[in-house]
Structure formats: C-alpha cells, structure tokens
C-alpha cells in the first residue's frame, strides 16, 4: 500500500478498540517472568555454553600479541576467539568501529577476545588469564580541547541559512548570545546487551536483544560475510534499548564467533554493565551556542544555533540544531553542526537524538530571552509560533497545535500563580520555582510490513518482525488488527521480533508505533479485500464487526469466511512524498515545579505536567507510560546523568549504576500528562504520530528554568549538580 495522499475516513475512525486504554497483552508474561529474553532461551537453545568478552585496556593503539595458552587450559574453557583465529570479518556499514579489535584498537573496552566455557564463572576466569600486550598511541578524548579542530560532517544535518542572520542579529534591540554544554550520557536500559547464538549446517540463529530485526540481519551479514538467507534473528522481548540496540553490538558478533568455534553449540553472552557503557554506544557530549535577536515585543528576528560534538573517525554528529530549524518563526536564521574526532567509545543515537540535547539549550535560551524582554515565557513562545516551516514558508505543517499545548499545559499546571521574580517563593528551607519549555520531535515514518491471517475459529494472527522494547507494540498492533477485522483483542494473536516474518519499521526514532500499525493496517485491508472477494461482497461497503462480515442484509461469521484452510494476506505501507509537501512533527509543553534547598543547593523536582499533540493516540494508557518514562529520563538529564570521561585514558569512569546516577522513585513526583485531541491524516492511515520521545524533549530545560526561578542561579552546563548551584546562591 502506498501512502501518498492524505488519509480519508477509514475503519480506524470507529475507535471501538483503537484509542482505548487497554492493558498490555504481554504484561502478565513480563510480570510473571515467563517472557523469554535473549539470555534466557534455554527452551530453544539447551545445553548452551557461556561467553565472556575481554575488552581492550587501552583506548587507541595496536595489539602486539595475545597469549591465550593459560586461558585455553583453564578449567571448563572450550575456546578462545581473537582476531587471529576468528577468520575473515567485515565491518557493517552501520558500525563506526569494528566489533572485534585487532590488530588496531579504536576505543577503550572494544572487544579483544571472547572466552567460551561450560559456566559463566569459568568463562570470566578464563578471560582474566589472557595476556595482551598493547602499543598505546595518543588519543583525543576531550571535546572542549578538540572543538577548534571540528569540521563540517560528511553526513547528518547540513548547515542551513535563511535570510541575513548576521545583519538582523546586529540590528536587534534585544539580543541573547550564550553557550550551553551537555555531557556524554549512557542509555542505561534495564536489560544489558545479550545474545544466545547457535549454528547448524552453516546457518546462524541469534536470539538477541535488538530493536531493528532487519537491520540486525544486515549487520551480521556484513560482519560475518554471510548471505542474509543464512541468518535467523529473533527478539520477541527486549528489556529497553533507547537507541543502543538499533544495531547489533559485540555481544551478538562475539557470541556467534564463540558458537562457531565450538562446533555450533549454543553460546549465551551478556555484557556486564561496565561493558555496556564503554563497549557499546552513548549519547555524545555537545557544546552549543545560541544567538537570538528579538524586537521589544518579543518577535524573533534572528536565530542561530551552532553545535559541536565528537565521534570516532567515520562517525556522525549529534544533530542538536534540528528543533531550532522548525520550532519558532524568524525570518533570518542559521544552523551549523561541527564534528570533532574523538577516540571515545562510539557516539550514536540515544532517545530523541538531536532534539533531546538541542532543546536543553534552545529552551533555556528562550527562558533567558523572556527574562530580558520582561515577558512571560509562555507568551514569548506563543507569539513566535508558526504554522509553516520557517525555512520553507510554502511548506505548511500537517498539524501543529503548539499554542494549544502551551495554553492547556499552563492552565492545568497553574502557571498563572508563578512569581516571575526569582527567589521569592519559600516552603520552609526550600526555595520554590516554576519553569516551562516547549517540546518538539520530528515525525518520522518508515516502510513497514505485516502478514495477517484468519483461522477456522475466527482468530486473527498478525506476524511482523516489529519489536516491543517496552513500548507496548504487542498491544497497539493487536488493537489495530482487532479494529480492522472487527474482533475483540482477545481474538488476536501477535507474533513479533522474528526475521522470518515480514520486515517492519522496527522500534526507533519515535517511528515504531505509527509505522508498524500502518503496516498492519495495510495487511488487514488486503485481507478484508480477500474476504470480500471470497464471499462475493462489494469491498466498498463491507463491514467487519462483532466477528462477522456484513454487506447489505447479508452477514457471515469471520470463521466461516476463513474456512478450514484459513485466509491470509501480506502487505506493507510505503510512505510517499507528503513529508516534502507538509512539515510533520509532534509538539508539547512541559511545566515543572522544583525546590532548591537554601542551605545545600540540593534540587528536588516537586511536580511535573505536560500537554502533547501527537496525532491519534492509539492507546492512552501505554502512551502515558511512554511520556512519564520520558519525563523521568529528562529529570536524569537535567540533574544527574553525566558519563565522566577520564581524559588521560579515554574511558567513562563511572561505568555502573552505582556511580552513573539515574532517577530513582524518590526523584519522581506527580506527573500530569494530557493529550490534545488531534488527528493527522497526512502522517499515516492511522492518523497517528510518535509519542515516546516527545516526552523527553524540552523537559530538562524546563527543570533548569524552574531552578533559576527558584533561586536565581542560571546553570548552562548540564547536569545541574548542586556544586554548580550552591556557590552562586545569594
């Protein structure tokens, strides 16, 4: 099915099942421990051996020698695989660094060897017996020190320029020119990268924790130099990813190499938490400069956003200026992205790449501009709203209700009670303040396919390689099929995360829910046509409801229509050029109240609220869960998350959950989430958009703005740790 014209009335509009707050259909399996994750596939891969990865002790240089003798003779050890005996390997185009080092070392903790043994403990002990001699070379590990050498990246967001920014900024009566920094951050999902691998007759089976099944097959094909047809990837349950599992990592590659080395016997391998931080990917640090010029009435006349980040040679930038290109009006504008070469572990996508860190700077800058103008921050944003792409005024937004989000969010939060003068509101020893920020995230769509069948009992089965990374994919896919085929959710079976199923959009970039359900919609519409033809019904007026197929005065049970052999259909959704005609994005407004301890500078988030416009909400219960999880992640980004780099040796020092701090229960207050009533017929036949990343975008800046309102201290270097606050408090 080609989606290249706006959606009209269709079966999704009935909203009998879609749009309802249905409980997660996989919830019972996950809460009872009966959902099998990648490391737990003893049912499918019994008698598995264990793999343990030894990571590089240096960040840059070469391996001069590896002595494996002691490790190979250790109790229980079955094999040791290094670059010397792994066979010829390629490098997947999605990988910046190789998954197996040797002889070159590209970053700290890059996999050097995998030891395979009968038990985990024996594999780990064997890895400690490996003797690796390195020739260390100087590396670059400090973004600030490398900023001057940063260059225009070969890929990613290009520099943009509209109008005459320099001239307009120079003439603006009110100007802001500030620098903001964000640190390296780690995904810190609950389930570490894990894989069980097995070979049979030259073919590889992987049970792995991955967000994008078809991409995983491609990565493994390019790495192991195998045809895609010889690789079977399964990932039915994923314990979180946040972007770190968009591509296979060393757990999958090394488990596969380890299994091949012991004759195909299954090998299970999970990265330890320190390896997750230094061996896989992370959100790279940024240095950002915001310049905004405005008239005294608040109208922006000039806006510029420049960003610097770093990555390994061949890597890409953090695209922080993305949101600035589309969020506010202004005739004269420019954005620029620069990339420095850093020899740190690979920088790559983390939840809402670009917008998440870009809005930490932009929305703090807007708050500072409002202060200069002596204007309410909400009003400043309203008067700079635009219904067209500011860079291409002939391209309108498909739907844009930022103003509605701002007004609704402000009213629900009680923004009118805010004291605009910092440091004026107290609750005992706590200084209390309010802050707000806009939320913005591009609406991305991806081709997605599915197969839908009906059996002789009237049950509907959906098969697609889509993944559920904790987002509720199983449930909204079941709701989509139930709505289209006219059955209840309990009559739908959803099969996910298997490369033998039709390729889906996968989970990432906030595109998964909208795109994958649109793919199921396409397959269901094909199946509806097949049923109508079989029954001799006019497909134009056929109705599927209550387990029956109806046309005029005729009604046939779905089970009867399927017959003993059953019926099935397969199709995919392919998106046309509507994104060229219409700017498509999701919007929201965050509101936060914080307390700052007047004696210690400790910051506590007291309450949070937000209003969001993201097209049709397919399941308000799971959508709310996505947003409150994202808001919680924003608390971490604002107040505590900082992967500290040892700039001498090039690694993240605080590489575990004891020292890399993320929000805990006591850090998360009441969160009010409100979804605006919106349909976006130009987004997909579902008239939906993404929601999971929108809730993160902007919330950290709202917290920073609230801290300023509470105590009068403006911190532009995230996270806002108390040492940055207490010394500046009056």
């Amino acid at each position: 099915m080609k989606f290249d014209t706006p959606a009209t009335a269709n079966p999704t509009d009935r909203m009998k099942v879609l749009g309802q707050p249905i409980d997660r259909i996989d919830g019972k399996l996950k809460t009872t421990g009966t959902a099998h994750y990648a490391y737990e596939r003893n049912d499918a891969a019994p008698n598995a051996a264990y793999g343990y990865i030894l990571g590089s002790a240096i960040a840059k240089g070469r391996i001069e020698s590896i002595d494996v003798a002691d490790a190979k003779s250790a109790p229980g050890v079955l094999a040791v695989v290094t670059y010397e005996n792994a066979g010829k390997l390629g490098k997947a185009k999605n990988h910046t660094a190789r998954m197996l080092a040797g002889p070159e070392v590209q970053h700290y903790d890059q996999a050097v060897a995998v030891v395979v043994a009968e038990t985990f403990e024996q594999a780990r002990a064997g890895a400690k017996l490996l003797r690796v001699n390195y020739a260390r070379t100087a590396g670059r590990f400090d973004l600030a020190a490398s900023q001057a050498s940063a260059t225009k990246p070969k890929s990613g967001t290009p520099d943009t320029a509209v109008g005459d920014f320099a001239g307009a900024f120079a003439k603006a009566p009110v100007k802001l020119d500030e620098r903001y920094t964000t640190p390296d951050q780690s995904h810190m999902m609950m389930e570490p990268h894990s894989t069980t691998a097995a070979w049979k007759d030259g073919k590889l089976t992987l049970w792995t924790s991955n967000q994008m099944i078809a991409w995983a097959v491609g990565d493994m094909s390019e790495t192991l130099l195998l045809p895609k047809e010889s690789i079977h990837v399964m990932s039915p349950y994923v314990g979180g990813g946040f972007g770190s599992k968009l591509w296979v990592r060393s757990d999958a590659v090394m488990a596969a190499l380890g299994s091949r080395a012991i004759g195909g016997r299954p090998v299970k391998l999970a990265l330890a938490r320190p390896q997750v931080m230094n061996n896989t990917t992370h959100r790279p640090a940024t240095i950002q400069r915001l310049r905004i010029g405005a008239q005294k009435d608040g109208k922006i006349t000039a806006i510029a956003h420049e960003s610097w980040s770093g990555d390994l040679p061949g890597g890409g930038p953090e695209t922080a200026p993305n949101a600035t290109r589309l969020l506010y009006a202004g005739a004269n504008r420019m954005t620029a992205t620069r990339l420095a070469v850093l020899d740190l572990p690979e920088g790559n996508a983390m939840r809402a790449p670009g917008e998440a860190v870009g809005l930490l700077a932009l929305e703090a800058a807007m708050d500072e501009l409002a202060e200069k103008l002596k204007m309410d921050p909400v009003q400043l944003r309203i008067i700079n709203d635009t219904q067209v792409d500011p860079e291409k005024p002939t391209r309108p937004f498909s739907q844009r209700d930022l103003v509605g989000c701002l007004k609704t969010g402000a009213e629900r939060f009680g923004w009118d009670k805010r004291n605009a003068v910092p440091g004026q509101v107290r609750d005992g020893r706590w200084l209390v303040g309010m802050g707000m920020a806009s939320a913005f995230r591009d609406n991305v769509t991806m081709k997605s396919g599915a197969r839908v069948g009906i059996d002789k009992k009237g049950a509907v089965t959906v098969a697609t390689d889509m993944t559920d990374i904790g987002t509720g994919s199983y449930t909204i896919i079941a709701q989509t099929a139930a709505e289209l085929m006219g059955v209840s959710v309990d009559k739908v079976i959803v099969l996910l995360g298997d490369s033998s199923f039709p390729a889906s959009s996968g989970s990432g970039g906030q595109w998964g829910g909208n795109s994958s359900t649109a793919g199921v919609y396409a397959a269901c519409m094909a199946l509806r046509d097949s049923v109508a033809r079989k029954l001799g019904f006019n497909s134009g007026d056929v109705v599927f409801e209550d387990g029956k197929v109806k046309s005029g005065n005729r009604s046939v049970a779905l089970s009867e229509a399927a017959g003993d052999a059953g019926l099935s259909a397969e199709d995919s959704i392919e998106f046309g050029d509507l994104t060229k005609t219409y700017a498509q994005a999701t919007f929201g407004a965050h509101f936060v109240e914080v307390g700052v301890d007047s004696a210690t500078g400790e910051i506590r988030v007291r309450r949070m609220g937000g209003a969001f416009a993201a097209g049709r909400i397919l399941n308000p219960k799971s959508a709310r869960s996505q947003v409150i999880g994202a808001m919680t992640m924003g608390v971490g980004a604002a107040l505590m998350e900082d992967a500290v780099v040892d700039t001498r040796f090039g690694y993240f020092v605080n590489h575990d959950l004891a020292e890399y701090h993320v929000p805990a229960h006591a850090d998360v207050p009441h969160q009010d989430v409100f979804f605006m009533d919106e349909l976006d017929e130009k987004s997909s036949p579902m008239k939906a958009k993404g929601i999971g990343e929108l809730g993160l975008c902007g919330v950290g800046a709202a917290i920073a703005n609230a801290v300023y309102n509470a105590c009068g201290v403006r911190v532009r270097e995230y996270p806002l740790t108390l040492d940055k606050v207490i010394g500046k408090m009056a």
Side-chain angles (χ1 to χ4, degrees), residues 166-501:
F169 185 72
K171 295 175 184 176
V174 182
K175 300 183 183 68
L176 177 133
D177 185 349
E178 295 293 351
R179 174 184 179 273
Y180 304 84
T181 65
T182 63
D184 296 288
Q185 296 173 352
S186 178
H187 303 78
M188 283 300 170
M189 61 284 157
M190 187 177 293
E191 181 197 22
H193 295 73
S194 309
T195 298
T196 300
W199 293 80
K200 185 176 181 181
D201 300 328
K203 295 188 176 183
L204 172 65
T205 300
L206 289 179
W207 297 266
T208 190
S209 186
N210 189 269
Q211 298 174 225
M212 306 287 294
I213 301 302
W215 291 9
V217 172
D219 290 349
M220 294 302 292
S221 172
E222 293 168 10
T223 302
L224 299 178
L225 306 178
L226 281 175
K228 292 181 180 180
E229 295 73 23
S230 297
I231 300 169
H232 185 192
V233 173
M234 286 172 279
S235 191
Y237 300 105
V238 181
F242 303 124
S244 69
K245 298 173 182 174
L246 287 171
W247 306 279
V248 298
R249 306 310 306 177
S250 63
D251 60 293
V253 173
M254 302 305 279
L257 294 176
S259 173
R260 187 162 66 181
I262 60 171
R265 177 181 167 186
V267 169
K268 59 170 60 181
L269 192 158
L271 299 186
R273 186 64 63 178
Q275 293 175 316
V276 171
M277 283 199 69
N278 280 295
N279 177 270
T280 67
T281 63
H282 71 285
R283 192 198 297 281
T286 68
I287 298 170
Q288 302 179 54
R289 183 188 183 191
L290 264 295
R291 286 176 286 171
I292 309 176
Q295 301 293 336
K296 291 184 178 181
D297 63 359
K299 289 285 184 69
I300 293 173
T301 57
I303 185 167
H305 192 165
E306 299 164 273
S307 175
W308 293 261
S309 60
D311 201 2
L312 291 164
E318 180 71 41
T319 53
N322 275 0
T324 304
R325 297 181 59 186
L326 288 164
L327 189 48
Y328 299 119
N332 305 286
R333 41 202 316 122
M334 65 86 75
T335 65
T337 305
R338 295 294 178 266
L339 179 65
V341 172
L342 295 180
D343 300 301
L344 292 170
E346 180 180 338
N348 216 313
M350 181 170 162
R351 194 177 198 175
E355 286 95 332
V357 293
L359 287 173
L360 285 173
L362 174 62
E363 289 303 286
M366 288 293 286
D367 198 70
E368 295 197 56
L369 180 64
E371 183 187 24
K372 286 177 176 285
L373 291 162
K374 296 182 172 55
M375 179 177 289
D376 181 87
V378 173
Q379 185 61 24
L380 174 64
R381 288 162 172 83
I382 289 174
I383 67 171
N384 285 291
D385 184 47
T386 173
Q387 292 299 308
V388 299
D389 179 345
E391 293 181 357
K392 301 174 183 176
T394 58
R395 187 173 76 133
F397 280 93
S398 60
Q399 290 286 338
R400 178 182 167 118
D401 194 15
L402 174 60
V403 170
C405 293
L406 290 164
K407 290 181 176 179
T408 301
E411 181 180 356
R412 293 175 65 90
F413 196 74
W415 181 255
D416 60 332
K417 298 179 178 62
R418 171 182 177 265
N419 190 320
V421 181
Q424 299 302 302
V425 180
R426 277 185 173 266
D427 181 5
R429 64 188 286 172
W430 294 90
L431 296 164
V432 180
M434 294 187 192
M436 60 79 53
S438 296
F440 171 94
R441 179 74 167 123
D442 257 345
N443 180 53
V444 181
T445 52
M446 299 277 279
K447 179 181 177 181
S448 193
R451 182 168 58 249
V452 182
I454 318 166
D455 67 13
K456 63 182 180 181
K457 295 182 180 180
V460 176
T461 298
V462 182
T464 170
D465 82 359
M466 179 61 180
T467 52
D468 190 324
I469 61 174
T471 47
S473 302
Y474 277 104
T475 308
I476 60 171
I477 285 173
Q479 288 177 263
T480 302
E483 191 76 77
L484 269 293
M485 302 312 300
V487 299
S488 58
V489 167
D490 60 6
K491 294 286 284 185
V492 180
I493 300 166
V494 179
L495 304 175
L496 300 183
D498 190 317
S499 62
S500 66
F501 300 155

